[in-house]
Amino acid sequence: MQKRENWGSKIGFIMAAAGSAVGLGNIWKFPFTAGQNGGGAFVLVYLIFVALIGFSVMLTEFAVGRRRQLAAVGAFKSEDKRWTFAGVLGVLSGFLIMGFYPVVGGWALAYVFKVMGGLLNNPAAIGASFDAFITNATSPLMWMVLYLILNVIIVVKGVSSGIEKAGKILMPLLFGILIVIAIKGLTLPGAMAGMEFLFKPDFSKVDGSVILAALGQAFFSLSLGMGCMITYGSYLSKKENLVQNAAIVTSMDTAVALLAGIAMFPAMFAFGIEPAAGPGLVFVVVPTLFAEMGAMGPMFAVLFFIALTVAALTSSVSLLEVVVAFLIDEKKFTRKKAVLSSATVMALLCILASLSLGGVGPTLFGKGAFDVFDLLTDKIFLAIGGMLLCIFAGWRLKKEDLYGEITNNGTMDFPLFGMWYPLVKYVIPITIFLVAANGIRQGFESGSGPIMLVGIGIIAIFAAISKKL
Ligand code: PHE
């Protein structure tokens, strides 16, 4: 058997896994989702889910991946053919997330050049120019393709050389710039109202859809529920401490999300921008804030969008890697062929997603492609994928085997095993089931219910034909 590629170094793995986790989910999605879901209470529920469910599921993914040293599908299939569908579902999620993620990645890339072209000169027009840009039929498509090409180049080069290097250099830069933005935002008049919105829970705003949104956000942001961390774990050496790695990645991801919130909400309240402004939030708030900074503003803004693009890249390459690893391991593609063919399909999905923002193209139950891909993955596939993984680990794998994998055959301590195990076996599956059921029920009031049900239907079909997958 061919020796499996391994991570160049421990720090390389953490940077790559954190690079996968930290991305548009933290900086683009978290702030606008928190804004749309009422702020503080959403953030609190999100943090609870991250600590209890996110961390435990990440540890489970690392363990399941490293155990067989096989990527998402193989890790399930090699234990039990009836479970193949759980892995294939992850590959499908990879395709669908890559059906809109590069669109937003392309926006970030475009903004590097828009800022250089003088976007900040007329702060009052920043919002309108964003709307005009994303609803345009051709220009976002060009940026999306450019962004996808960057992904292809990185993933063709393979695990340790490509992904690792990108993460190592540019993650710290992003963190630093976010701190600068946060400090600037907090010193604006009226900023404290933003902190209150973000951190003071108002429980009257919590309902089934807010809770499902928080769960989905936790999974999306931590890159869980679709085999990504299984795949990354499969490249991890048997000597690594899985618990420590999962804890570090979870904390880094959460720190960046909170920092992004702190960078954005105070400034929004100071500028009188609606918290529920939606997907345009970061592309409007951040440039407006930098426009306030005078001569230094444009330079910081350019750096910010470069760092955002790179953060997005280190995430999307991990999504692409899930699909590519499946095609290489299970379908015997060469790496190059796997990357090129999957990127082509993703580009087509992205064209649909991008056009849908301008109201062009097919709809499903009244929603355009962008919303459909997001709803299916963020609200259904990732959470249910996480639920399936926990059921698989808790009920299909042996407790001793899991213990052995997590503690490196007893050579490493994990005193919390006695808590983690029942969480994975009982608490998490039941919680996800209840949250999803309640969220779908509520979704029928807002029009997203039918699409979520379609998602459940797809999972059921996959499960039924599992042995053929
Ligand atoms: N976690 C990434 C982000 O926050 C997105 C992602 C989701 C990556 C699922 C891989 C798997 O941007």
Side-chain angles (χ1 to χ4, degrees):
M1 204 175 121
Q2 206 185 336
K3 190 180 175 313
R4 196 163 177 81
E5 278 181 273
N6 245 311
W7 297 97
S9 63
K10 177 186 173 67
I11 185 80
F13 173 78
I14 292 189
M15 287 318 252
S20 164
V22 175
L24 295 170
N26 309 56
I27 296 161
W28 164 70
K29 205 169 205 288
F30 174 76
F32 90 76
T33 310
Q36 283 173 332
N37 285 283
F42 167 89
V43 174
L44 184 68
V45 178
Y46 166 75
L47 290 175
I48 294 171
F49 282 153
V50 165
L52 286 179
I53 299 183
F55 166 75
S56 309
V57 172
M58 188 175 296
L59 180 55
T60 313
E61 291 209 8
F62 284 165
V64 166
R66 191 179 65 168
R67 183 175 140 78
R68 296 270 176 197
Q69 311 223 325
L70 288 170
V73 177
F76 284 103
K77 194 178 185 176
S78 62
E79 306 282 353
D80 183 343
K81 277 213 153 182
R82 283 171 304 175
W83 276 93
T84 309
F85 80 99
V88 176
L89 182 64
V91 176
L92 177 65
S93 300
F95 268 115
L96 291 179
I97 296 177
M98 283 303 275
F100 68 90
Y101 205 95
V103 174
V104 184
W107 298 350
L109 188 56
Y111 264 62
V112 173
F113 296 92
K114 286 187 187 287
V115 172
M116 293 202 267
L119 178 76
L120 272 44
N121 295 343
N122 182 4
I126 290 173
S129 103
F130 176 77
D131 291 336
F133 170 57
I134 66 160
T135 52
N136 184 294
T138 47
S139 153
L141 294 185
M142 203 188 80
W143 291 105
M144 174 275 288
V145 169
L146 205 58
Y147 177 86
L148 254 178
I149 290 175
L150 293 175
N151 284 271
V152 167
I153 294 172
I154 298 175
V155 177
V156 167
K157 286 178 75 187
V159 176
S160 37
S161 56
I163 301 176
E164 234 176 274
K165 265 186 219 144
K168 240 189 246 174
I169 307 166
L170 289 139
M171 296 277 299
L173 176 70
L174 177 70
F175 205 77
I177 299 177
L178 277 176
I179 291 179
V180 173
I181 308 180
I183 293 173
K184 173 68 188 171
L186 283 168
T187 55
L188 294 171
M192 279 310 133
M195 290 301 272
E196 226 167 78
F197 178 83
L198 199 56
F199 292 114
K200 206 167 140 206
D202 171 359
F203 290 104
S204 69
K205 291 188 179 145
V206 175
D207 62 16
S209 15
V210 172
I211 297 177
L212 180 58
L215 183 69
Q217 177 63 30
F219 272 92
F220 187 88
S221 187
L222 293 167
S223 305
L224 297 175
M226 47 103 35
C228 180
M229 293 302 180
I230 298 182
T231 305
Y232 272 24
S234 77
Y235 299 115
L236 199 52
S237 117
K238 290 281 184 193
K239 286 190 254 65
E240 287 294 340
N241 183 336
L242 299 184
V243 179
Q244 203 185 48
N245 276 306
I248 293 175
V249 174
T250 307
S251 332
M252 281 172 70
D253 184 71
T254 311
V256 176
L258 292 177
L259 194 55
I262 298 172
M264 252 160 276
F265 280 91
M268 272 163 64
F269 276 75
F271 296 143
I273 297 173
E274 272 293 299
L281 203 55
V282 57
F283 295 94
V284 177
V285 176
V286 171
T288 309
L289 198 134
F290 281 127
E292 291 269 303
M293 279 194 183
M296 296 291 277
M299 186 199 79
F300 272 120
V302 168
L303 281 180
F304 172 80
F305 284 110
I306 292 177
L308 182 62
T309 306
V310 172
L313 270 174
T314 55
S315 299
S316 51
V317 295
S318 73
L319 287 156
L320 184 53
E321 181 65 27
V322 169
V323 178
V324 167
F326 164 72
L327 294 173
I328 294 175
D329 288 355
E330 304 294 322
K331 304 287 171 209
K332 308 297 169 222
F333 279 41
T334 62
R335 179 165 276 272
K336 197 163 169 199
K337 182 173 161 209
V339 174
L340 291 177
S341 54
S342 41
T344 306
V345 176
M346 289 160 184
L348 296 176
L349 296 177
C350 282
I351 292 175
L352 286 179
S354 185
L355 291 178
S356 76
L357 296 175
V360 178
T363 57
L364 182 66
F365 297 110
K367 305 248 184 232
F370 193 106
D371 291 340
V372 171
F373 299 161
D374 173 55
L375 266 172
L376 281 177
T377 50
D378 185 66
K379 298 287 187 322
I380 299 296
F381 287 172
L382 299 188
I384 302 289
M387 180 180 95
L388 292 170
L389 173 81
C390 287
I391 297 175
F392 172 76
W395 298 87
R396 187 65 190 76
L397 300 184
K398 288 206 197 72
K399 189 173 176 180
E400 310 80 74
D401 290 349
L402 277 172
Y403 185 81
E405 190 62 51
I406 290 179
T407 59
N408 299 354
N409 291 321
T411 58
M412 213 117 51
D413 241 14
F414 181 35
L416 291 179
F417 186 85
M419 255 173 76
W420 169 81
Y421 189 72
L423 267 180
V424 167
K425 186 161 181 163
Y426 306 103
V427 180
I428 295 176
I430 295 173
T431 308
I432 293 179
F433 177 81
L434 294 176
V435 170
N438 204 26
I440 293 173
R441 196 177 50 92
Q442 198 122 49
F444 277 92
E445 285 160 29
S446 64
S448 51
I451 291 168
M452 296 195 227
L453 273 192
V454 168
I456 299 287
I458 293 174
I459 299 173
I461 294 172
F462 271 40
I465 60 168
S466 194
K467 281 192 186 151
K468 296 204 188 70
L469 290 170

